[in-house]
Amino acid sequence: MEGENGYKKGLWTVEEDIILMEYIREHGKGRWNRIAKTTGLKRCGKSCRLRWINYLSPSVKRGDFSEEEDDLIIRLHNLLGNRWSLIAGRVPGRTDNQVKNHWNTHLSKKLGIKKGRSKLGASSQALPTIKVGESLKIPSESTSKAPFDSTSEPMDQKGIEDLSQCTVKLPSMQETTMSTEGNDSLLPSTQETMMSTEGNDSSFWFSTVDFPYPPSLMELLDECSLDFGWHGL
DNA sequence: AATGAGGTCAACCGCCCAGTT
DNA sequence: CAACTGGGCGGTTGACCTCAT
């Protein structure tokens, strides 16, 4: 069960979860590699981080994916390809791992998509034709390089930044202008907002309240009239 | 009841990147 | 500038579960 480096592998026990949660409650997130040293937990930093992000974090929503979430994921996957972290960042309460698993086990089947290795995922053959003020322009040199390739101009990020400038009127909500901070978190995700309270003892154990479903995302995709290729849909 | 197949999903792995020293 | 460290990502694995036989 223990690796060469003395770290344990495999499923986490309740005791390990408690140790990890106690550590995070006291010290906050980050410095994952210190957890093993300070708590004696026989888990590597990466494992701790993953366990927290994918399972223990109060912001993680459990249970089945709703139709709305499915639809959102399908749309985002069409736009972003297998950029699970980006997709998950826009599906409140869901982690990249959850989204990835759900796609691989349910949605790809549902859509009849064969598993591929491309980061473009389902949209690899026909890139989305974006009509948002020519925002999402595919680099001309991208013929041999995937346009989403991290080594090239992050076209998706640029595109999303442009997308994020869309001002959408939301039903029963105030007019919302999406903007970015210019960092990796392109849109302010609910998850991040919620996580921002972590480390504060008084608000640490907030419940996994129902997320105000972000109609902004669905509406955004609709409003911006993205001409997705719905392969086989 | 036993068991084999297939599905699900938590966790791991390897790679990459950014920040720090 | 190189080396090191922390953290993030996507792909893959394998333990566990369910169901049909």
Side-chain angles (χ1 to χ4, degrees):
Chain A
M1 213 44 174
E2 285 186 16
E4 306 156 2
N5 47 17
Y7 290 130
K8 193 180 161 191
K9 288 202 226 172
L11 294 179
W12 281 64
T13 63
V14 176
E15 290 76 20
E16 288 175 317
D17 282 346
I18 291 169
I19 292 171
L20 178 57
M21 286 192 288
E22 282 298 317
Y23 176 89
I24 292 172
R25 182 162 59 173
E26 242 178 81
H27 301 92
K29 293 188 297 174
R31 301 285 177 182
W32 302 104
N33 283 326
R34 290 186 185 177
I35 296 175
K37 289 171 193 165
T38 57
T39 67
L41 187 62
K42 286 183 166 23
R43 295 283 183 170
C44 69
K46 272 192 170 187
S47 188
C48 293
R49 175 183 158 271
L50 226 50
R51 181 63 178 171
W52 173 257
I53 289 174
N54 288 330
Y55 197 85
L56 297 176
S57 170
S59 64
V60 174
K61 190 158 72 176
R62 320 290 308 167
D64 294 341
F65 281 66
S66 66
E67 285 288 323
E68 234 174 345
E69 286 175 308
D70 281 356
D71 188 39
L72 178 59
I73 291 168
I74 291 167
R75 286 160 177 263
L76 287 168
H77 186 269
N78 253 308
L79 176 66
L80 301 171
N82 295 3
R83 307 291 288 270
W84 304 117
S85 60
L86 284 175
I87 295 172
R90 286 152 190 78
V91 185
R94 301 298 187 183
T95 70
D96 55 351
N97 213 30
Q98 281 180 310
V99 171
K100 182 170 58 182
N101 281 332
H102 186 61
W103 176 270
N104 288 333
T105 57
H106 295 98
L107 299 181
S108 63
K109 228 173 276 178
K110 188 171 159 186
L111 300 177
I113 294 168
K114 283 176 186 170
K115 225 177 161 184
R117 283 172 166 267
S118 168
K119 282 194 172 186
L120 294 171
S123 55
S124 57
Q125 300 100 338
L127 289 161
T129 306
I130 304 301
K131 294 179 179 173
V132 187
E134 301 288 316
S135 294
L136 285 177
K137 282 181 180 166
I138 299 167
S140 57
E141 73 274 14
S142 66
T143 48
S144 61
K145 206 181 225 176
F148 294 145
D149 191 313
S150 58
T151 58
S152 63
E153 172 75 17
M155 163 268 193
D156 53 335
Q157 293 196 6
K158 185 173 184 297
I160 292 162
E161 279 167 16
D162 290 334
L163 263 179
S164 68
Q165 296 303 324
C166 291
T167 300
V168 295
K169 287 264 189 188
L170 304 176
S172 71
M173 288 182 73
Q174 289 180 318
E175 184 175 286
T176 304
T177 302
M178 315 284 280
S179 64
T180 64
E181 305 288 324
N183 56 21
D184 197 40
S185 46
L186 303 167
L187 300 177
S189 74
T190 310
Q191 187 170 348
E192 281 164 358
T193 306
M194 297 186 73
M195 296 296 281
S196 68
T197 63
E198 282 170 21
N200 180 336
D201 272 2
S202 59
S203 57
F204 180 82
W205 298 109
F206 50 79
S207 63
T208 53
V209 293
D210 285 341
F211 292 85
Y213 220 89
S216 56
L217 296 171
M218 302 293 284
E219 295 288 334
L220 185 64
L221 289 164
D222 285 337
E223 289 280 331
C224 293
S225 303
L226 299 176
D227 184 17
F228 295 135
W230 292 100
H231 310 286
L233 280 181

